[in-house]
Amino acid sequence: MSLFEFKAHSKFPEMYDACQSTGVLKFKPAVYRDYGDSYFMEEYKNQYKKTYYDDEINLRQMAVRRLSVVSSIYSGSVLGKSLLEIGSAAGFFLSEAKQMGFETKGYELSPREVEYSRNKLSLDVDCESILNIKTDVYQNQVDVICAFFVLEHIQEIDALWERIASWIKKHGILFLAVPSFFGPTFQTNPSNWFETHPQDHFYDYDPSSLKKLLSILGFDLRYARPMSYHRKRDLGLLGRLPDWAYKLYSNQTCYGDTIELAFQKTKH
């Protein structure tokens, strides 16, 4: 039985179906594309004006910060804990996790990034979709699962969440970064949101929908923050606030076009 029940969005029925139980949005015009080497390099450079490899220092610093969040939730040593990353790219996050003491595993669709991860960073990474991994392979075996700007690309939403929920051990952690429709662009400038919406994003999330979905799956929210602050994008009242007040509101409500969240599994 599906976790999701989608019906036409009340305001944007041509663009979205909305899940009645969680609030997750299904982007109706989405189309599948191949996630090979060229996709990975082109998309990153188009967005950040530099290659993924040129940005290694920043990406490793971000990894250390994210891993510190995971460690703080555990309130103890992470030595020997298992960490699986969905969409591990060239492996910079896994490399930092391994140095911290995690036993790491990655899944990545780009052969070039898998080769780099294995040969340059000596990481255990497979060129495989997690949807090709049977659910019982990691049943209640993984301490931490991480996915950064990956979940929105996966069309088979039930199979995705079935694996995540079943693979993580009790008290284990799920750490996500996703685009969010609870942010200045969708909330105050939806026409721009749709104009710039990637065609290969099948689903959109926000803090509330993820909290509802993961509560159903037995997880509690432990951490939520916007990844950036774009007051000038906000065409509503929030955009008139001074920067400090806008940032305060954003931190308190996880208001942003991109967000990070960590959940802990509290029930089987």
Side-chain angles (χ1 to χ4, degrees):
M1 184 178 178
S2 176
L3 288 166
F4 305 93
E5 181 186 355
F6 288 101
K7 294 183 179 180
H9 192 281
S10 59
K11 192 171 182 180
F12 302 105
E14 294 184 358
M15 305 302 289
Y16 276 133
D17 286 339
C19 176
Q20 303 303 292
S21 58
T22 64
V24 173
L25 299 182
K26 181 179 182 180
F27 187 58
K28 295 169 79 169
V31 293
Y32 177 81
R33 65 177 293 182
D34 179 51
Y35 298 109
D37 297 336
S38 61
Y39 171 87
F40 181 86
M41 297 303 292
E42 291 168 5
E43 287 294 312
Y44 197 91
K45 191 168 185 178
N46 287 340
Q47 184 169 356
Y48 298 105
K49 311 307 177 188
K50 63 178 75 173
T51 70
Y52 186 84
Y53 297 97
D54 290 338
D55 208 21
E56 179 176 356
I57 293 175
N58 175 59
L59 290 168
R60 285 186 177 275
Q61 290 174 343
M62 187 183 301
V64 170
R65 179 182 58 77
R66 286 170 168 165
L67 289 163
S68 70
V69 173
V70 173
S71 297
S72 68
I73 295 172
Y74 273 124
S75 301
S77 174
V78 298
L79 186 65
K81 290 190 179 296
S82 57
L83 183 149
L84 185 154
E85 185 178 8
I86 304 169
S88 54
F92 299 145
F93 178 82
L94 286 180
S95 176
E96 293 295 331
K98 186 176 180 179
Q99 291 179 48
M100 188 177 285
F102 284 99
E103 298 291 334
T104 61
K105 177 71 179 183
Y107 288 96
E108 169 58 44
L109 295 181
S110 168
R112 174 177 174 172
E113 312 316 317
V114 171
E115 181 180 4
Y116 185 92
S117 300
R118 291 173 175 172
N119 298 339
K120 298 294 185 179
L121 302 179
S122 301
L123 296 169
D124 181 7
V125 177
D126 289 345
C127 191
E128 189 76 81
S129 166
I130 66 159
L131 300 180
N132 294 332
I133 311 301
K134 292 183 179 180
T135 306
D136 59 1
V137 169
Y138 292 112
Q139 188 83 30
N140 295 316
Q141 292 184 31
V142 184
D143 291 299
V144 182
I145 290 182
C146 298
F148 307 120
F149 298 106
V150 173
L151 303 189
E152 61 273 15
H153 293 268
I154 298 178
Q155 185 175 7
E156 298 84 353
I157 190 170
D158 280 293
L160 166 67
W161 286 104
E162 178 187 10
R163 282 159 176 75
I164 289 174
S166 65
W167 289 356
I168 296 180
K169 297 176 181 177
K170 189 174 183 182
H171 306 303
I173 295 168
L174 173 64
F175 200 129
L176 304 174
V178 293
S180 173
F181 56 84
F182 182 65
T185 303
F186 181 72
Q187 294 297 316
T188 71
N189 193 2
S191 61
N192 181 251
W193 170 271
F194 290 121
E195 285 171 7
T196 59
H197 193 285
Q199 290 298 302
D200 58 338
H201 287 194
F202 287 90
Y203 296 94
D204 286 311
Y205 302 89
D206 76 339
S208 176
S209 61
L210 284 168
K211 189 175 180 180
K212 288 177 183 176
L213 169 60
L214 282 152
S215 176
I216 294 170
L217 297 174
F219 290 76
D220 290 338
L221 180 66
R222 295 288 186 246
Y223 169 87
R225 285 290 185 275
M227 288 189 62
S228 56
Y229 306 94
H230 296 289
R231 182 182 60 80
K232 292 182 179 180
R233 291 183 188 176
D234 197 298
L235 305 184
L237 293 175
L238 292 173
R240 302 177 189 177
L241 294 174
D243 286 338
W244 69 266
Y246 181 85
K247 185 174 182 180
L248 178 64
Y249 173 83
S250 298
N251 284 338
Q252 289 179 340
T253 62
C254 198
Y255 182 75
D257 288 338
T258 54
I259 58 174
E260 293 180 335
L261 308 97
F263 295 86
Q264 188 168 32
K265 191 174 187 179
T266 55
K267 304 179 183 71
H268 279 297

